[in-house]
Amino acid sequence: MAGGKGDKPANANKSNAAANPSKGRKKETGLGLTNTKDGNFGEWYSEVVTNGEMIEYYNISGCYILRPWAMSIWEIMQVNIHAEIKKMKIKTCYFPLFVSNNVLQKEKDHIQGFAPEVAWVTRSGDSELEIPIAIRPTSETVMYPYFSKWIRGHRDLPLKLNQWCNVVRWEFSNPTPFIRSREFLWQEGHTAFATKEEADTEVVEILELYRRLYEEYLAVPVVKGKKSEMEKFAGGLYTTSVEAFIPHSGRGVQGATSHCLGQNFAKMFEIKFEDEKGEKAMVWQNSWAYSTRTIGVMVMVHGDDKGLVLPPKVAGVQVIVIHLPYSDADVDALVNASLETVKALCDVGIRAEADLRENYKPGWKYAHWEMKGVPLRIEIGPRDIAKNQVCVARRDNGKKIDIPMDDLVDKVKGLLDDVQQNMFEVAKQKRDACVQVIKTWDEFIVALAQKKLILAPWCDEEEVEKDVKTKTKGETGAAKTLCSPFEQPELPKGTLCFASGKPAKKWTYWGRSY
Ligand code: 86X
């Protein structure tokens, strides 16, 4: 398992620095990671999310406490998504957490296969409920009876709703903070249209929004594409996704999905409308979701052996100011300079804070804020005050520069943009270096063993995908299709499927995945 030992970090090292602040650097801080990203990726991930104060492990398997440091990232993503979907005229709603068995079972095909993951409430106090109540694993069956009620004529369309909520899926395979947890947070969009064309258009608009969130905010490169028949949401018509890749574990990860449900649910739930000609017609539906999994992907891609590395656009604190009170320094002057610096930055909308705590040494603070991944650290010592400057250190590449106080705001803005850009470019280079184009089965097996993100010509047949899964089953999980990228490289005539030898229909990404 490459994702991080689910429930208890093998090394649940608490920061005991406060109790014991005066030993050598790693020991002194109590903050150092004991695992490296290259050495033991899974353990490293557990340590990073806990020591970085995003996650606290909880005494129910697969459930995690999202601490303020994680929630500040989620809140920033929420604000952005909210603003973008508002522009698309999508309305906010909230449906109940609980689902009756009747309603949940209504769409049998959709539930089949998922049933073991549904969590139930069977008791209140000491008395058994007459009818158990399920906790939503997703909200199709919760919402669509009301779509049926609310949609009468073509004037009621499109109906475009979104809700922010938690969902519960009682999974049994290796839980990993953010990536696979039994309860998680997401937005789920559910829309209904009069025509397939409108639905198709929205599917790609939402997917593009998700791509931008990954690439422009989380600085994580993704591929937009279509899922295979086997990997699509079985209840829908087709599924699109943004797929990320984690070079250190050699696994793909579905970043977010945008489904066209076609008319399957409309038929099940009788979501009909009267069109302009007065004829009854079925609606066309989509559903799409973006979850807290995205935070885990971001941590896995950018984190390093010093801890989290946060892209400026989603960092709750973008700049941390640390003063250096050397023994004979004028501490008041340092504190004032720090506060002035913070104010100047906050005044222009930069999220800056000063760490003025007197019971921690600067070295401890450096390690602490590095662990938390703050993009820029400003150091202010007596010499800086004398020269009317500050020293800025970048978290992404460790480089330090002095900047005159007179240029503070412009220079810091520029640096934050640079860090954001650089993080994306570095991540993209690393991702691209993992891509392996293959043509034959033998090449496929070699590339898989090398943890590559494999791009292969494929016949697009379900039987063949099943066969590949079976043949690659092992301790680390089987290989499967991730997506067929919208941007297809040229497929020369006569190219054969790497697995079946039949004529290839398309290029498809393959790999192990989360
Ligand atoms: C599939 C499909 C879809 C709305 C999305 O991906 C976007 C937002 N939903 C979700 N899915 C299930 O339908 C499902 C159903 C049950 Cl009962 C379950 F226990 C787990 C599930 N997992 C995924």
Side-chain angles (χ1 to χ4, degrees):
M1 194 215 57
K5 285 275 174 349
D7 299 332
K8 239 191 226 137
N11 177 8
N13 56 338
K14 296 226 170 64
S15 159
N16 59 358
N20 203 356
S22 58
K23 296 188 206 148
R25 175 155 175 148
K26 197 158 180 172
K27 284 185 206 137
E28 169 193 350
T29 63
L31 289 175
L33 298 170
T34 57
N35 288 283
T36 61
K37 197 176 185 183
D38 285 333
N40 185 339
F41 182 72
E43 292 298 335
W44 168 87
Y45 179 71
S46 290
E47 270 194 281
V48 167
V49 294
T50 48
N51 291 18
E53 299 180 334
M54 280 192 168
I55 288 285
E56 189 69 60
Y57 279 75
Y58 192 63
N59 69 350
I60 294 175
S61 171
C63 297
Y64 307 94
I65 298 166
L66 303 184
R67 301 182 63 183
W69 199 239
M71 286 308 287
S72 65
I73 294 172
W74 186 237
E75 280 177 341
I76 291 167
M77 303 308 294
Q78 283 186 300
V79 167
N80 279 295
I81 294 174
H82 189 73
E84 291 302 319
I85 65 181
K86 269 262 157 106
K87 288 185 206 159
M88 296 172 69
K89 309 272 188 242
I90 290 153
K91 300 268 176 22
T92 305
C93 62
Y94 187 79
F95 282 74
L97 167 70
F98 298 114
V99 202
S100 73
N101 190 24
N102 283 348
V103 169
L104 189 73
Q105 299 291 335
K106 175 120 188 180
E107 219 289 56
K108 290 238 173 54
D109 296 346
H110 152 230
I111 296 305
Q112 241 164 34
F114 291 126
E117 292 178 11
V118 178
W120 295 88
V121 178
T122 60
R123 198 151 58 87
S124 82
D126 289 335
S127 44
E128 298 292 314
L129 296 190
E130 249 169 57
I131 309 166
I133 293 169
I135 301 173
R136 66 178 161 223
T138 178
S139 300
E140 279 81 359
T141 61
V142 178
M143 292 181 162
Y144 297 166
Y146 300 90
F147 275 46
S148 166
K149 181 173 184 201
W150 296 336
I151 297 169
R152 291 281 107 130
H154 62 272
R155 282 181 201 85
D156 301 322
L157 294 174
L159 177 61
K160 305 205 259 188
L161 300 182
N162 178 63
Q163 72 177 8
W164 292 94
C165 63
N166 58 342
V167 286
V168 171
R169 296 177 184 174
W170 213 255
E171 306 214 38
F172 293 91
S173 53
N174 49 41
T176 305
F178 299 117
I179 300 288
R180 184 178 294 108
S181 54
R182 285 178 164 176
E183 178 185 1
F184 55 92
L185 306 181
W186 73 357
Q187 59 71 214
E188 52 178 320
H190 293 266
T191 54
F193 301 90
T195 63
K196 177 161 188 295
E197 290 65 44
E198 291 169 275
D200 287 336
T201 304
E202 189 199 63
V203 167
V204 292
E205 261 177 46
I206 292 293
L207 199 68
E208 173 60 10
L209 168 62
Y210 291 160
R211 183 201 65 79
R212 280 182 44 212
L213 291 166
Y214 264 98
E215 299 200 331
E216 294 170 16
Y217 283 80
L218 301 172
V220 170
V222 290
V223 175
K224 290 201 286 189
K226 197 173 163 198
K227 288 282 187 183
S228 69
E229 279 303 300
M230 205 168 150
E231 293 297 331
K232 78 168 191 188
F233 172 33
L237 186 59
Y238 64 88
T239 295
T240 68
S241 68
V242 288
E243 298 285 330
F245 188 74
I246 312 297
H248 280 78
S249 62
R251 285 174 191 264
V253 53
Q254 178 176 294
T257 49
S258 177
H259 311 278
C260 179
L261 303 178
Q263 295 180 308
N264 296 350
F265 285 94
K267 282 174 197 148
M268 287 292 165
F269 290 89
E270 299 188 51
I271 313 176
K272 290 179 283 196
F273 68 102
E274 200 164 282
D275 65 18
E276 276 110 331
K277 291 173 237 145
E279 279 160 30
K280 283 275 173 208
M282 295 283 180
V283 298
W284 292 86
Q285 289 177 275
N286 292 339
S287 75
W288 29 276
Y290 182 98
S291 76
T292 38
R293 165 178 270 205
T294 52
I295 299 173
V297 175
M298 185 264 284
V299 171
M300 286 185 170
V301 167
H302 298 303
D304 66 16
D305 291 344
K306 289 180 172 176
L308 298 168
V309 183
L310 302 183
K313 278 199 188 170
V314 296
V317 177
Q318 296 170 309
V319 181
I320 188 72
V321 178
I322 295 171
H323 64 308
L324 310 172
Y326 299 123
S327 54
D328 54 350
D330 178 349
V331 177
D332 286 347
L334 289 170
V335 167
N336 285 337
S338 300
L339 293 175
E340 262 174 47
T341 304
V342 168
K343 183 173 185 317
L345 295 174
C346 287
D347 280 350
V348 297
I350 294 168
R351 296 186 286 274
E353 280 180 17
D355 186 347
L356 298 171
R357 291 177 290 180
E358 285 167 10
N359 52 334
Y360 293 106
K361 292 186 173 147
W364 185 94
K365 292 179 184 175
Y366 287 7
H368 174 72
W369 293 104
E370 279 170 359
M371 182 67 68
K372 289 174 73 90
V374 170
L376 296 179
R377 174 178 74 230
I378 291 186
E379 301 165 10
I380 304 180
R383 257 180 6 133
D384 298 304
I385 293 188
K387 290 191 186 166
N388 197 33
Q389 66 176 31
V390 294
C391 177
V392 186
R394 290 171 62 145
R395 178 64 180 90
D396 64 328
N397 62 15
K399 284 186 185 145
K400 280 191 178 193
I401 56 162
D402 292 327
I403 58 179
M405 274 306 269
D406 298 334
D407 297 344
L408 178 77
V409 163
D410 285 349
K411 284 279 192 308
V412 167
K413 268 189 188 165
L415 276 170
L416 289 171
D417 287 347
D418 256 26
V419 172
Q420 183 78 35
Q421 199 56 39
N422 182 248
M423 284 180 68
F424 177 72
E425 267 151 30
V426 169
K428 187 160 164 19
Q429 275 168 20
K430 287 185 182 162
R431 196 272 317 263
D432 289 348
C434 293
V435 175
Q436 180 84 48
V437 178
I438 63 102
K439 297 269 177 63
T440 66
W441 179 257
D442 289 348
E443 289 172 354
F444 179 78
I445 292 300
V446 172
L448 196 62
Q450 294 171 340
K451 298 182 171 184
K452 297 288 187 182
L453 170 53
I454 301 168
L455 185 57
W458 181 39
C459 61
D460 198 10
E461 285 179 21
E462 203 164 329
E463 283 309 309
V464 175
E465 183 172 5
K466 268 192 198 144
D467 198 42
V468 173
K469 265 194 173 170
T470 320
K471 284 183 177 151
T472 55
K473 227 169 232 154
E475 253 175 49
T476 46
K480 60 181 193 185
T481 60
L482 304 173
C483 75
S484 294
F486 289 159
E487 267 178 42
Q488 285 276 318
E490 199 201 321
L491 187 68
K493 252 213 158 83
T495 305
L496 301 179
C497 170
F498 78 100
S500 69
K502 295 178 187 174
K505 293 214 181 85
K506 51 167 78 151
W507 289 97
T508 299
Y509 281 105
W510 295 74
R512 296 200 172 86
S513 80
Y514 282 98

